[in-house]
């Protein structure tokens, strides 16, 4: 309950004349020009645009399974072009077999084999018993192995079993001869070669693991956990080479297990040849599903699931595939018994098909058989662990080969329809191939991510043909293509009798359409494989289909294949849409033909084309479809190519359009912009660049309990290069997102709508540009933190910040408030680290501002430099120099006060205090408070000032503690920050420095003491303040309010003391002060009355004190009596009457001057009754009466309200008459005299009693009573005379009733 205090206008006015105002600082000095603030709202809007594009990328291209299902049971749709720049693959280079190998062909009778080991970047070539490993990356480097005597027929590289070999061995090379199998350990380390390319350096380790066999092994396949499987060339059985670290009772160190035989027989030596009718030709291991596939000579495919050690579970065998394929594609000429021979099996990764396609079989004439897990009749397989349970496979789709392939010779004369402008010449078909080629003798094939390469002998000696197949994204993707342009070159397909029906209504996914072409390579093919590339890190961003190269062509190198022939190693590179675009742009430059680029735009759609044109124009690290070892180097196109790409980007991008929506039944209209292709292309390209990191966490748990980068530095650096190139291009070409004067399209619609559309587009582009810059700086920031040991920096942060950092994604860091908070915390840790190492912060500050300015503002830099100045002050021995450093630090802190955190303020103030720098300790918090609240609207903000706490004397300060303290108070009290004053006053009051406050009486003290919340200490100080200030009446008002307040738990004695002090101060009020004399008198009178009541209350409280702990309501009432002031009525009705306190009743009647004769007589009668005891002699009772009556008489006489003299005298007389002769004569008058009643009053009372016998008033009408009264009067007169004779007696002689006595 707030206290009601009087207004303070006059007091403040009088006090203001006594206060000295000194301005320490002004708002102009504190509020420096703020650093650019990160617009989180704009960044988040731009981030939503990126997210939308990432989601689109995951949806625009179906996955393999969806395409096959849409095509029905079989399909044969192909895009076959004569154009050499639209073929899906391109021969990149041919590396000849090193000349050094030919010296080993010293005789004509040698046995030689060769193959590919892409895992270690080697080609293996065996010449009799010698094994050579050719490093095709380096070109001519060869290592050899000649430590065994037998002819080498097959070599493979597999993973080692855990715990068997030393840690350096990362692979195991399996060497097969007709009579033995040998294991050689390999270690591969990535090094930089002489041509600055990264290559693998290998070392061989002897394992002493080999086994003799009478069956020649081939088709070696290794599992994920180091198990080795192979097939016997003679018997066609499935074998497992089992090895362990040492021999045991239950097994040899190396064993060969025949899984085709099964049971214990597989462990016994083999005698005689096998009579298996169908031999296994190849073994393929599925790493993802942890299973094994085998292919036999009669086209049977078996599936095995890995069990425990040495155990292999046969799941199924699919035979009679020819009939199953005929059922899917009846009457197809490609399905003839003489040509239906499956030559290879290829695993489909789970990421390629969400519908479960997992195996592809390729036949010798190019038919592809797609197998998927059965969907009926088998137990369901859990997707959480594909290896736990496998469903049998079934043939779900037959993909027939293209029938109208152009001969490789015809591709050297590309067909170009004529066109002279950006107007497409539609409907002009290409001439049919003059020499259509039909695939019929495929011997090798390779498959990865939807790409298939197959080799067969060519039609010329020493030449092989490669059938290259890749998905045609323009036919299967939802890219916004121009439909009328899609049939310029007809899609080759088989007769509809065996092709699946397809609805073009748009409600279904399109069927699979692929590019197909034939390429010629020199030599005869021995082996082929895809060039391994580092798998992309698992990303939390929406994942596009693996065949959607549009989404990855700017962030991953193109797929490459290696074809090993007897001439050398041919590298085949997948030509991406980007490479196609680059070719048509170069054709525009070289020949002026614009038709190809028009066709490109119509095929891939406006937005996708603009995205690729933008990437081509600004340059990209993945722009060159060359050697993957150069990835990370930014490729910039020639200026001419960049200019054409830029112009096409602008022309194809068109303009934004404003669409209006009118709400039915109202006149209100709202609209939205359909952005141009330029803005959409910008968003698509930007999103694709950051997709590998955008939704991923910045950190992951590392070694030693510390965190480390979740994304590799090389990937971050590559992404940053591409982003920087994009930003640089857009900064140099700001006109790309503005309309050109005279644009005819701009005048088609209403001018207002056109302006709204351009405004919306430019706003969106500006947001994306802001996000682009912020993203570049964020990557710089993360890389910089990693240089300073990110894990250790995180460990030095507080737990809440650590939790934020470890769960934060790159998107969060860039676009959220938590990202800002985390980045600032990390920068502070870095700076602390630098200062702790006695290193200047200038260098790191400059680096932070240059590379990631939004993560380290100018304000932050000032704060870092300020802290460094404090450090220099600590180190300085010169007092003047120390003061200069401290002053400069305060100046810098003041400029950066807006971003200075509270904990840092406290820390700096502590340092200032220890250095004896009172000015900084006082003014820095005030600077910060003013910077945070320049308009003074945040009075609820309570600044917990800790800077002025007294501490032990620092050895750094040259001044005495008293001097520093006085200077600090002087600075503090001259501040104009009222909130600071209030906080400082509270602290001083808490510390008991009230005398200092009263002595200095700073401004705002009175206002602070009167402000809520009210406290006893504040009001105690307030009344003393008024006394010191010469305002006793206001002091009395405060004291009175404090005494009567029920808000504070004060004792009755304290409240009584306040009233006494209030009365004293009120009496001290000058008569003429402020013209309030009459009011002061009334206030004083009221105070005195309240004081009297309080005194009565105190007596009652003391009389009931012994019962204060009584249980129940009575005890509670008594305790309440000692806490709050009460009125006289409350005291009588609630305490004196209920608790039967006759003396207190008399006191209340006396103080209140309440006259009630009947009441007061009854009270005295009760007093007499209580004083008398039964069965007690008269003398004792007489003493009891004297003991009770005399004190009350002395206290209350002459109050008629509490001391009715005649009634008391009559009661005493009646008692003496009752015991006449037993009490001394004159007892009654002498008791009254002891009560303080004058002799004259006693004479009058006794005389009235004497005279009353005439009125026959009993008991005074009896003769004995008259004689007794006469006797008492005689004693009274004698005592009166004796008293009057006594010197300095109060009894005046003139009052003696001489005349009446004589009468």
């Amino acid at each position: 309950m707030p206290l009601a205090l009087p207004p303070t206008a006059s007091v403040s006015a009088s006090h203001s004349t006594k206060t000295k105002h000194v301005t320490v600082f002004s708002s102009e000095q504190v509020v420096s020009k703020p650093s650019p603030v990160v617009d989180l709202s704009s960044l988040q809007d731009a981030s939503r645009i990126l997210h939308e594009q990432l989601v689109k990328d995951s949806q625009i291209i179906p996955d393999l399974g969806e395409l096959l299902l849409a095509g029905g049971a079989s399909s044969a749709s192909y895009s076959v072009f004569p154009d050499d720049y639209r073929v899906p693959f391109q021969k990149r280079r041919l590396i000849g077999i090193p000349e050094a190998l030919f010296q080993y062909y010293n005789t004509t009778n040698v046995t030689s084999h060769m193959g590919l080991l892409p895992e270690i970047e080697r080609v293996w070539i065996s010449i009799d018993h010698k094994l050579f490993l050719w490093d095709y990356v380096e070109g001519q480097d060869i290592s050899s192995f000649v430590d065994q005597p037998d002819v080498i027929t097959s070599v493979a590289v597999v993973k080692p079993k855990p715990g068997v070999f030393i840690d350096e061995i990362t692979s195991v090379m399996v060497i097969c001869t007709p009579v033995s199998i040998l294991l050689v350990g390999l270690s591969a380390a990535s090094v930089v070669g002489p041509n600055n390319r990264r290559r693998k350096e290998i070392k061989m380790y002897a394992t002493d693991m080999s086994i003799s066999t009478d069956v020649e092994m081939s088709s070696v396949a290794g599992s994920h956990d180091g198990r080795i499987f192979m097939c016997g060339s003679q018997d066609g059985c499935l074998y497992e080479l089992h090895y362990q670290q040492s021999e045991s009772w239950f097994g040899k160190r190396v064993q060969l297990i025949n899984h085709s035989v099964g049971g214990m027989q597989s462990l016994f030596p083999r005698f005689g040849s096998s009579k298996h009718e169908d031999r296994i030709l190849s073994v393929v291991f599925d790493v993802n599903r942890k299973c094994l596939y085998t292919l036999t000579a009669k086209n049977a495919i078996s599936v095995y699931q890995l069990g425990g050690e040495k155990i292999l579970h046969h799941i199924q065998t699919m035979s009679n595939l020819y009939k199953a394929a005929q059922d899917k594609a009846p009457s197809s000429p490609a399905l003839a018994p003489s040509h239906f021979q499956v030559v290879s099996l290829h695993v489909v990764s789970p990421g390629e098909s969400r519908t479960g396609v997992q195996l592809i079989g390729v036949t010798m004439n190019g038919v592809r058989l797609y197998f998927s897990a059965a969907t009926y009749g088998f137990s369901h397989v859990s997707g959480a662990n594909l290896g736990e349970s496998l469903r049998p496979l079934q043939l779900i789709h037959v993909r027939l080969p293209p029938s109208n392939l152009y001969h490789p010779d015809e591709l050297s004369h590309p067909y170009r329809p004529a066109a002279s402008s950006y107007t497409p010449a539609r409907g002009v078909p290409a001439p049919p191939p003059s020499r259509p080629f039909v695939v019929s003798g495929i011997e090798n094939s390779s498959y990865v991510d939807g790409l298939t390469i197959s080799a067969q002998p060519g039609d010329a000696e020493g030449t092989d043909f490669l059938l290259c197949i890749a998905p045609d994204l323009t036919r299967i993707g939802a890219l916004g293509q121009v439909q009328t342009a899609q049939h310029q070159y007809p899609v080759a397909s088989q007769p509809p009798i065996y092709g699946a029906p397809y609805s073009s209504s748009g409600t279904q996914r399109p069927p699979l359409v692929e590019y197909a072409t034939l390429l010629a390579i020199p030599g005869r093919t021995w082996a082929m494989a895809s060039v391994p590339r580092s798998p992309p890190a698992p990303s939390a961003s929406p994942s596009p289909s693996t065949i959607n190269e549009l989404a990855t062509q700017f962030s991953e190198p193109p797929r490459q294949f290696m074809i090993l022939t007897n001439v050398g190693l041919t590298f085949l590179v997948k030509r991406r849409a980007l490479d196609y675009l680059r070719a048509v742009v170069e054709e525009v430059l070289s020949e002026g033909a614009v038709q190809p680029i028009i066709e490109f735009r119509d095929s891939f759609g406006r937005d996708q084309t603009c995205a690729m044109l933008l990437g081509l124009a600004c340059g990209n690290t993945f722009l060159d479809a060359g050697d993957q070892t150069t990835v990370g180097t930014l490729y910039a196109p020639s200026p001419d190519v960049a200019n054409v790409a830029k112009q096409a980007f602008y022309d194809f991008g068109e303009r934004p359009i404003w669409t209006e929506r009118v709400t039915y039944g109202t006149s209100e209209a709202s609209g939205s912009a359909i952005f141009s292709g330029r803005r959409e292309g910008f968003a698509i390209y930007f999103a694709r660049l950051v997709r590998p990191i955008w939704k991923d966490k910045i950190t992951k748990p590392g070694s030693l309990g510390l965190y480390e980068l979740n994304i590799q530095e090389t990937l971050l650096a590559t992404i940053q290069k591409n982003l920087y190139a994009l930003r640089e291009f857009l900064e140099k070409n700001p006109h790309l997102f503005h309309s050109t004067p005279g644009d005819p399209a701009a005048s088609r619609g209403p001018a207002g709508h056109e302006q709204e559309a351009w405004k919306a587009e430019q706003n969106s582009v500006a947001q994306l540009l802001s996000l682009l810059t912020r993203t570049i700086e964020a990557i710089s920031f993360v890389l910089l933190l990693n240089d300073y040991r990110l894990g250790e920096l995180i460990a030095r942060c507080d737990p809440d910040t650590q939790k934020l950092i470890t769960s934060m994604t790159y998107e969060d860091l860039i676009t959220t408030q938590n990202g800002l908070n985390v980045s600032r915390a990390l920068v502070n840790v870095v700076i602390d680290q630098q200062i702790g190492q006695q290193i200047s912060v200038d260098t790191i500050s400059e680096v932070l501002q240059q590379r990631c300015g939004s993560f380290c503002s100018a304000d932050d830099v000032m704060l870092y430099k300020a802290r460094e100045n404090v450090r220099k002050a600590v180190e300085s021995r010169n007092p003047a120099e120390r003061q200069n450093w401290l002053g400069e630090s305060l100046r810098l802190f003041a400029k950066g006060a807006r971003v200075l955190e509270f904990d840092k303020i406290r820390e700096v103030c502590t340092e200032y205090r220890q250095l004896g720098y009172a000015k900084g300790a006082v003014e820095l918090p005030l600077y910060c408070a003013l910077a945070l609240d320049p308009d003074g609207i945040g009075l609820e903000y309570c600044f917990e000032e800790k800077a002025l706490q007294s501490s032990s004397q620092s050895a750094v300060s040259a001044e005495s503690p008293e001097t520093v303290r006085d200077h600090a108070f002087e600075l503090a009290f001259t501040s104009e920050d009222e909130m600071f004053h209030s906080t400082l006053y509270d602290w001083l009051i808490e510390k008991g420095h009230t005398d200092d406050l009263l002595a200095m009486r700073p401004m705002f003290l009175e206002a602070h003491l009167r402000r809520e919340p009210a406290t006893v200490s504040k009001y105690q100080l307030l009344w003393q303040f008024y006394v010191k200030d010469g305002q006793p009446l206001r002091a009395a008002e405060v004291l009175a309010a404090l005494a009567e307040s029920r808000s504070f738990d004060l004792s009755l004695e304290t409240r009584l003391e306040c009233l006494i002090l209030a009365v004293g101060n009120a009496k001290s009020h000058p008569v003429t002060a402020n013209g309030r004399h009459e009011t002061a008198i009334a206030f004083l009178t009221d105070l005195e009355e309240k004081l009297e009541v309080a005194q009565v209350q105190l007596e009652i409280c003391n009389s009931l004190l012994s019962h204060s702990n009584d249980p129940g309501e009575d005890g509670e009432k008594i305790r309440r009596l000692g806490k709050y002031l009460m009125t006289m009525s409350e005291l009588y009705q609630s305490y004196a009457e209920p608790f039967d306190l006759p003396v207190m009743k008399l006191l209340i009647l006396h103080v209140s001057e309440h006259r009630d004769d009947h009441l007061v007589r009854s009270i005295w009668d009760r007093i007499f009754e209580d004083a008398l005891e039964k069965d007690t002699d008269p003398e004792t009772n007489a003493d009891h009466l004297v003991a009770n009556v005399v004190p009350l008489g002395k206290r209350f006489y002459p109050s008629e309200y509490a001391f009715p003299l005649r009634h008391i005298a009559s009661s005493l007389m009646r008692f003496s008459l009752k015991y006449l002769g037993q009490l001394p004569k004159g007892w009654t008058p002498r008791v009254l005299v002891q009560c303080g009643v004058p002799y004259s009053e006693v004479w009058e009372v006794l005389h009235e009693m004497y005279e009353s016998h005439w009125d026959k008033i009993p008991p005074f009408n009896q003769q004995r009573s008259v004689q007794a009264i006469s006797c008492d009067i005689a004693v009274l007169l004698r005592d009166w005379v004796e008293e009057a004779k006594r010197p300095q007696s109060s009894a005046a002689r003139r009052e003696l009733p001489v005349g009446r006595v004589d009468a």
Side-chain angles (χ1 to χ4, degrees), residues 646-695:
K646 179 173 66 174
Q647 186 61 45
F649 173 76
Y650 187 86
D651 293 339
F652 287 164
E654 300 174 334
R655 63 186 180 88
I657 300 173
W658 187 260
T659 59
E660 281 233 345
R661 295 186 300 274
V662 180
T663 305
Y664 181 76
T666 68
S667 59
E668 297 181 1
S670 60
S672 62
I674 299 175
F675 296 113
S676 72
R678 294 185 292 276
R679 183 275 193 186
E680 294 292 345
F682 177 20
I684 291 171
Y685 183 56
F686 186 5
R688 288 172 177 171
L689 291 181
V690 300
R691 184 182 65 83
I693 67 170
W694 194 245
K695 299 286 185 179

Side-chain angles (χ1 to χ4, degrees), residues 719-756:
I719 292 172
Q720 187 184 44
K721 285 180 184 178
N722 295 327
L723 292 174
Y724 187 81
L726 173 61
R727 184 182 68 174
E728 189 176 31
F729 173 78
L730 295 177
E731 287 176 347
K732 290 179 179 179
N733 299 277
H735 63 281
L736 292 176
F737 298 99
H738 294 79
S739 61
T740 57
D743 181 5
S747 60
R748 294 174 188 167
H753 292 173
E754 186 70 25
Q755 292 176 1
E756 287 293 330

Side-chain angles (χ1 to χ4, degrees), residues 676 692 871 979 1011:
S676 72
R871 179 177 62 83
M979 198 64 243
R1011 186 180 297 120

Side-chain angles (χ1 to χ4, degrees), residues 289-310:
R289 301 173 183 89
K290 300 178 178 59
C291 64
L292 200 69
Y293 308 108
T294 63
L295 173 66
T296 69
K298 294 185 178 181
N299 299 322
I301 298 175
S302 296
V303 184
Y304 298 86
Q305 184 175 19
L306 270 64
E309 192 175 82
K310 304 180 186 179

Side-chain angles (χ1 to χ4, degrees), residues 78-80 404 429-430 475 486-492:
Y78 293 90
S79 298
V80 180
N404 59 342
R475 307 299 174 93
Q486 290 189 6
H487 302 288
Q488 181 174 341
Y489 298 103
V491 174

Side-chain angles (χ1 to χ4, degrees), residues 1224-1271:
K1225 296 178 180 179
W1227 180 81
T1228 298
R1230 286 178 175 172
V1231 171
L1232 291 175
V1233 170
Q1234 289 181 51
C1235 289
V1237 182
Y1239 286 98
S1240 58
E1241 286 291 329
V1242 178
W1243 156 259
E1244 290 294 340
V1245 171
L1246 292 180
H1247 187 265
E1248 289 175 5
M1249 291 180 188
Y1250 177 80
E1251 294 293 332
S1252 66
H1253 75 276
W1254 302 108
D1255 300 326
K1256 301 187 182 299
I1257 298 175
F1260 306 119
N1261 56 351
Q1262 299 176 7
Q1263 182 62 33
R1264 60 189 295 270
S1265 297
V1266 173
Q1267 291 177 352
I1269 293 172
S1270 299
C1271 186

Side-chain angles (χ1 to χ4, degrees), residues 629-818:
T629 55
T630 61
V631 169
T633 302
L634 186 70
Y635 176 84
S638 67
D640 292 336
V641 170
N643 287 333
V644 173
K646 179 173 66 174
Q647 186 61 45
F649 173 76
Y650 187 86
D651 293 339
F652 287 164
E654 300 174 334
R655 63 186 180 88
I657 300 173
W658 187 260
T659 59
E660 281 233 345
R661 295 186 300 274
V662 180
T663 305
Y664 181 76
T666 68
S667 59
E668 297 181 1
S670 60
S672 62
I674 299 175
F675 296 113
S676 72
R678 294 185 292 276
R679 183 275 193 186
E680 294 292 345
F682 177 20
I684 291 171
Y685 183 56
F686 186 5
R688 288 172 177 171
L689 291 181
V690 300
R691 184 182 65 83
I693 67 170
W694 194 245
K695 299 286 185 179
D696 290 82
K697 291 184 179 181
I698 300 171
T699 63
K700 65 180 179 181
S703 59
L704 303 176
L706 298 176
Y707 280 83
E708 60 186 22
L709 278 186
N710 185 34
I711 306 294
Q712 292 183 354
E713 283 188 275
T714 52
L715 177 57
L716 290 174
T718 299
I719 292 172
Q720 187 184 44
K721 285 180 184 178
N722 295 327
L723 292 174
Y724 187 81
L726 173 61
R727 184 182 68 174
E728 189 176 31
F729 173 78
L730 295 177
E731 287 176 347
K732 290 179 179 179
N733 299 277
H735 63 281
L736 292 176
F737 298 99
H738 294 79
S739 61
T740 57
D743 181 5
S747 60
R748 294 174 188 167
H753 292 173
E754 186 70 25
Q755 292 176 1
E756 287 293 330
W758 280 106
K759 182 179 178 181
E761 169 139 324
Q762 289 163 10
N763 180 60
S764 180
V765 169
Q767 291 176 340
L768 287 170
L769 283 170
S770 175
L771 182 62
L772 175 60
T773 300
R774 174 93 173 150
T775 304
I776 293 171
E777 294 184 357
I779 295 175
S780 292
F781 181 65
V782 171
L783 292 174
L784 190 68
L785 293 176
N786 202 46
D787 291 340
Y788 285 95
R789 298 180 180 176
L790 177 62
E792 295 179 7
L793 297 179
I794 294 174
R796 295 180 62 181
C797 294
D798 61 84
D800 291 339
T801 303
Q802 290 184 29
K803 187 176 180 181
L804 279 177
I805 296 171
T806 54
S807 63
M808 182 165 289
T809 65
Y810 281 87
E811 181 185 21
D812 296 335
L813 175 68
I814 294 166
T815 64
T816 66
Q817 183 62 48
N818 281 341

Side-chain angles (χ1 to χ4, degrees), residues 71-77 326-333 398 400 403 491-502:
S74 65
S75 62
S77 298
Q326 271 197 321
D327 292 340
K328 298 287 184 184
S331 304
S332 170
V398 175
L400 301 170
S403 60
V491 174
S493 63
Q494 301 294 335
I497 187 171
Y498 53 84
Y502 170 64

